[in-house]
Amino acid sequence: MSDLVTFGETMLRLSPPHGERLERTRTLDVQAGGAESNVAVAAARLGVDAVWLSKLPDSSLGRRVVSELRSHGVRTGIVWDDPAESRIGTYYLEPGTEPRGTDVIYDRADAAVTTTVPEELPLGAIRNSDVFYTSGITPALSETLAATTERVLAAAQDGESTTTVFDLNYRSKLWSPAEAREEFESLFPAIDVLVAAERDVRSVLEREGDAPELARGLADDFGFETVVVTRGENGSVALNEGQVFEQDVYRAETVDAIGTGDAFVGGFLAKRLHGGGVGEALEYGSAAASLKRTINGDLAVISPEEVDAVVEHEAGGISR
Ligand code: KDG
């Protein structure tokens, strides 16, 4: 039995030292990065019993990812693949800084995780979890994974008290908006809590209106228990049982924005799992996200005390 189970790909993230360009650098920093493990790390660091499920080559690179995630308190359930026949995904990241955008280059085709079938996963553990989380990246990675995502979400729904949480996480380098929309809408009936960036709701799901209207439209059409719309610098909005909650962002000096959304979700889920209401969870997730922005790497290396301090002392409070 665990509080949170997540499932998805984690890659090796390779990035040049601050201010250097991928084109010229001689040094690449290596870290684990992937939306679902990022959420697990943020939640684990905030006191949640979190398990991350995936498939990796049984090589030093696969083991490296696992030991990094475990060092943050995440438990792992890994399908180990023959290293002669499989690989780990990598992504190269040159963080953007005004006026230059972030450069991301994926090298992840045919990674071990893309062959994961439901029979390889601990469906019982998924059914017994309080929350099962995956994101829109997972079904985008292969047809096999799209089918597996559907099956594991169905297994989670079979759990007596498992809440399924899905972040759209649309990635334009993986598929087109039309492909993503079709897949997302087929998964929605199995999802209790939808998290989505406002821009993805507009451009991928082709919805219109202000953030509360977007959330209401999705909840009405697909029966979500909760919809959280994240709005970048404009904060976030959640709709739960007909009630709208709004949250501003907390100030942060940004060192690395990658993983901000995952830290938000990790914080949101931690607060919910610890008995907090939706408004408090938005506040806590938002504070976790602001702390993440100050940290290099995908992972939110944060503590509950730091998140509480942001909530208590920083401007950007809640407007309910
Ligand atoms: O949310 C952070 C992720 O975007 C990053 O870890 C890389 O998983 C990744 C992806 O597919 O974009």
Side-chain angles (χ1 to χ4, degrees):
M1 183 88 183
S2 45
D3 299 336
L4 171 67
V5 174
T6 77
F7 167 59
E9 178 176 27
T10 293
M11 297 177 284
L12 290 175
R13 164 185 148 145
L14 308 171
S15 41
H18 182 70
E20 285 194 25
R21 308 216 68 176
L22 276 172
E23 192 178 315
R24 303 297 296 182
T25 191
R26 289 165 171 271
T27 313
L28 289 170
D29 182 44
V30 185
Q31 296 189 32
E36 293 79 6
S37 56
N38 294 349
V39 167
V41 166
R45 296 195 61 101
L46 298 175
V48 169
D49 177 15
V51 177
W52 169 68
L53 305 177
S54 197
K55 187 169 183 175
L56 287 166
D58 189 2
S59 67
S60 44
L61 297 180
R63 289 191 293 275
R64 186 194 192 290
V65 163
V66 166
S67 70
E68 183 172 352
L69 298 175
R70 283 189 185 157
S71 75
H72 294 282
V74 172
R75 293 194 287 133
T76 55
I78 305 301
V79 183
W80 291 108
D81 208 2
D82 180 350
E85 289 177 14
S86 70
R87 59 163 305 202
I88 189 167
T90 56
Y91 84 103
Y92 297 83
L93 174 84
E94 182 184 285
T97 177
E98 286 293 328
R100 183 156 61 71
T102 296
D103 188 14
V104 172
I105 299 174
Y106 289 143
D107 181 14
R108 66 196 306 184
D110 304 320
V113 71
T114 62
T115 64
T116 313
V117 291
E119 293 69 28
E120 293 177 303
L121 294 171
L123 298 182
I126 292 172
R127 263 186 222 106
N128 283 332
S129 62
D130 292 319
V131 172
F132 173 71
Y133 169 87
T134 191
S135 88
I137 297 169
T138 311
L141 296 173
S142 70
E143 278 179 25
T144 304
L145 264 190
T148 299
T149 305
E150 206 169 307
R151 282 277 302 281
V152 291
L153 280 167
Q157 266 211 323
D158 286 348
E160 264 172 40
S161 54
T162 307
T163 300
T164 52
V165 182
F166 187 81
D167 187 334
L168 278 194
N169 268 349
Y170 174 67
R171 296 289 183 269
S172 60
K173 289 191 172 178
L174 297 177
W175 51 0
S176 71
E179 288 169 318
R181 180 182 171 178
E182 192 183 339
E183 180 62 29
F184 290 158
E185 291 189 352
S186 77
L187 295 175
F188 282 170
I191 289 159
D192 300 313
V193 177
L194 180 73
V195 182
E198 183 176 13
R199 62 169 187 278
D200 294 344
V201 179
R202 294 185 191 288
S203 64
V204 179
L205 302 181
E206 297 180 352
R207 304 255 158 176
E208 288 174 1
D210 61 18
E213 286 165 348
L214 295 174
R216 209 175 291 284
L218 289 167
D220 288 348
D221 290 353
F222 296 101
F224 300 118
E225 170 195 302
T226 307
V227 178
V228 180
V229 178
T230 58
R231 312 183 60 224
E233 286 177 2
N234 297 319
S236 50
V237 167
L239 179 80
N240 173 255
E241 290 175 2
Q243 202 182 344
V244 174
F245 301 84
E246 293 188 36
Q247 172 67 46
D248 293 335
V249 291
Y250 290 97
R251 280 184 301 117
E253 198 157 311
T254 301
V255 170
D256 184 345
I258 304 290
T260 302
D262 304 327
F264 173 87
V265 174
F268 180 88
L269 295 179
K271 184 52 92 178
R272 290 293 276 159
L273 283 161
H274 292 149
V278 170
E280 288 171 301
L282 278 189
E283 187 176 50
Y284 202 73
S286 187
S290 77
L291 286 166
K292 163 62 204 66
R293 297 181 80 88
T294 67
I295 299 159
N296 196 21
D298 264 51
L299 304 181
V301 187
I302 57 178
S303 67
E305 294 73 24
E306 287 171 323
V307 179
D308 286 339
V310 172
V311 170
E312 278 161 35
H313 303 302
E314 293 299 316
I318 205 161
S319 46
R320 259 181 258 181

